[in-house]
């Protein structure tokens, strides 16, 4: 139920993080979109990224740019991370500890939206809790468009108190916020989700190839699939928007998908869980089998004819 306040920032005094300033570390396609959604919600946003171009775009949109991740931490009580790998998340937090950012303050909350690793999130959550701060593993689904529109789905792992404190910030970035469980639970949910996406991409593409080969256009087959039990987000959103249109510009790379499904298989190995179908999917997504480079859009997996061709010597 609405409390009548016009934006998330103005609700911070009642159970949320005290203050209206949020920091973003990592201004890629997702981080930039989330920063802009926070601005629209009324927050003051400070940010840092290694890319000078990203920093220039941020400054032009009204975001306060800083000289380092530590400066972001110094200026804010809520810190959003959007980084490529778990080690980058850990290095960033350790840099904060080394600079004394967590020693002389209380009640900060770090919201890690990266697709990270449960073991790393649990370790960082414990370390920050000892210093009086919260850590949420909060990976997201919805792509750059969802980030820019504040319409992401966010799966949260962490303690309830930290979730409550960060709720206004989370609500500004996401349309769906699901507190899955304790630290690491969000990471697990994201890896399980993305493994399904990788599988659905292959099975949907294969089904549509069969439809075309048998004489039914893919678009017509999708109209049936999407009103029946074979539907998925891939068939409802991705294929109509980025494969059938042949734009292949979803904003999510094949390299990131490979990273996520590799992490999912590593999680399965650690948990002693057999994943024969997923093992085949990982092989099919490999560079050697798919022909896709790390920077190619992952939508290219939906149409083998559109994938980059290896150069041959003639």
């Amino acid at each position: 139920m609405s409390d009548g306040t016009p934006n998330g920032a103005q609700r911070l005094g009642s159970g949320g993080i005290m203050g209206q300033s949020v920091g973003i570390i990592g201004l890629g396609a997702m981080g930039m979109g989330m920063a802009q959604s926070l601005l629209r919600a009324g927050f003051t946003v400070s940010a840092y990224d290694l890319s000078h171009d990203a920093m220039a775009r941020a400054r032009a949109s009204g975001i306060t740019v800083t000289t380092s991740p530590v400066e972001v931490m110094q200026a804010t009580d809520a810190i959003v991370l959007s980084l490529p790998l778990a080690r980058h998340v850990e290095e960033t937090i350790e840099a904060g500890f080394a600079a004394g950012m967590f020693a002389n303050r209380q009640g900060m909350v770090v919201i890690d939206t990266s697709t990270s690793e449960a073991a790393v999130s649990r370790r960082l959550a414990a370390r920050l809790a000892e210093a009086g701060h919260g850590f949420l593993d909060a990976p997201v689904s919805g792509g750059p468009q969802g980030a820019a529109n504040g319409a992401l789905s966010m799966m949260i792992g962490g303690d309830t108190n930290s979730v409550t404190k960060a709720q206004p910030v989370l609500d500004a970035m996401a349309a769906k916020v699901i507190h899955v469980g304790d630290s690491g639970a969000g990471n697990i949910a994201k890896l399980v989700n993305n493994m399904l996406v990788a599988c659905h991409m292959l099975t949907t593409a294969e089904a549509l190839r069969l439809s075309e080969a048998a004489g039914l256009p893919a678009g017509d087959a999708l109209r049936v699939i999407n009103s029946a039990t074979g539907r998925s987000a891939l068939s409802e959103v991705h294929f109509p928007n980025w494969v059938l249109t042949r734009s292949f510009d979803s904003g999510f790379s094949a390299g990131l998908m490979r990273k996520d499904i590799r992490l999912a298989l590593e999680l399965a190995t650690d948990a002693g869980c057999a994943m024969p179908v997923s093992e085949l999917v990982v092989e099919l997504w490999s560079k050697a089998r798919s022909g896709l480079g790390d920077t190619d859009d992952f939508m290219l997996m939906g149409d083998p004819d559109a994938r980059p061709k290896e150069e041959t010597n003639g």
Side-chain angles (χ1 to χ4, degrees):
M1 179 181 296
S2 172
D3 61 5
T5 54
N7 59 53
Q10 291 178 316
R11 292 197 298 269
L12 292 178
S14 55
I17 297 167
M18 300 307 293
Q20 297 183 5
S21 181
V22 179
I24 299 261
I25 300 172
L27 290 170
M30 299 300 291
M32 185 71 77
M34 289 186 284
Q36 292 168 344
S37 291
L38 287 162
L39 275 178
R40 284 196 309 275
F43 292 98
T44 299
V45 180
S46 301
Y48 176 79
D49 193 276
L50 289 171
S51 166
H52 294 299
D53 289 343
M55 295 280 271
R57 290 194 302 273
R59 185 185 293 109
S61 67
I63 296 166
T64 301
V65 299
T66 64
T67 60
S68 70
V70 168
E71 189 177 343
V72 174
M73 298 178 198
Q74 190 174 33
T76 59
D77 290 324
I79 302 157
V80 178
L81 306 181
S82 182
L83 300 170
L85 300 172
R87 66 179 175 85
H88 299 136
V89 174
E90 195 155 27
E91 288 167 0
T92 299
I93 298 302
E94 290 303 327
F97 273 108
M101 288 299 100
F102 302 114
N104 300 317
R105 302 164 64 186
Q106 291 287 308
M108 297 171 68
V109 178
V110 178
I111 304 165
D112 179 24
T113 67
S114 318
T115 300
S116 187
E117 301 170 32
V120 172
S121 291
R122 289 165 181 157
R123 184 162 61 246
L124 292 175
R127 184 146 160 67
L128 282 163
E130 289 178 359
H133 308 289
F135 180 92
L136 302 176
D137 48 290
V140 297
S141 179
Q145 184 175 356
N149 295 334
L152 293 167
S153 293
M154 187 173 285
M155 48 222 83
I156 309 289
D159 66 277
T160 301
N161 182 57
S162 294
V163 174
T164 299
K165 291 179 70 175
Q167 195 70 53
V169 178
L170 303 176
D171 288 343
M173 297 186 291
K176 296 179 181 178
V177 177
I178 304 169
H179 186 192
V180 185
D182 294 334
S183 292
N187 297 140
I188 295 168
K190 177 61 185 291
L191 294 179
V192 168
N193 178 80
N194 278 21
M195 178 57 80
L196 280 173
V197 172
C199 293
H200 291 166
M201 168 61 81
L202 298 179
T203 56
T204 304
E206 197 165 270
L208 294 180
R209 285 200 299 275
L210 171 59
S211 181
E212 292 268 2
L216 178 65
D220 292 331
L222 277 177
R223 287 194 295 117
V224 175
I225 292 167
N226 289 335
S227 63
T229 55
R231 68 185 182 276
S232 68
L234 271 294
S235 69
E236 291 182 323
V237 178
H238 294 72
F239 272 79
N241 288 330
W242 296 304
V243 178
L244 296 191
T245 63
R246 301 185 69 77
S247 63
F248 307 110
D249 58 353
S250 70
F252 189 73
S253 71
L256 288 175
M257 177 56 80
R258 280 196 276 264
K259 180 204 76 170
D260 291 355
I261 58 180
R262 173 184 58 79
L263 290 175
L265 274 194
E266 290 175 2
L267 183 67
T269 298
D270 292 343
C273 180
M275 302 275 283
V277 173
S278 297
E279 287 174 1
L280 174 59
V281 167
V282 169
E283 180 187 341
L284 293 173
W285 272 94
S286 69
K287 289 182 182 180
R289 292 295 298 271
S290 70
L292 294 180
D294 283 346
T295 59
D296 290 324
D297 196 282
F298 91 120
M299 285 290 100
L300 285 162
M301 275 297 275
D303 187 349
D305 294 334
R307 296 180 200 168
K309 302 296 189 295
E310 290 187 7
E311 294 184 4
T312 57
N313 294 323

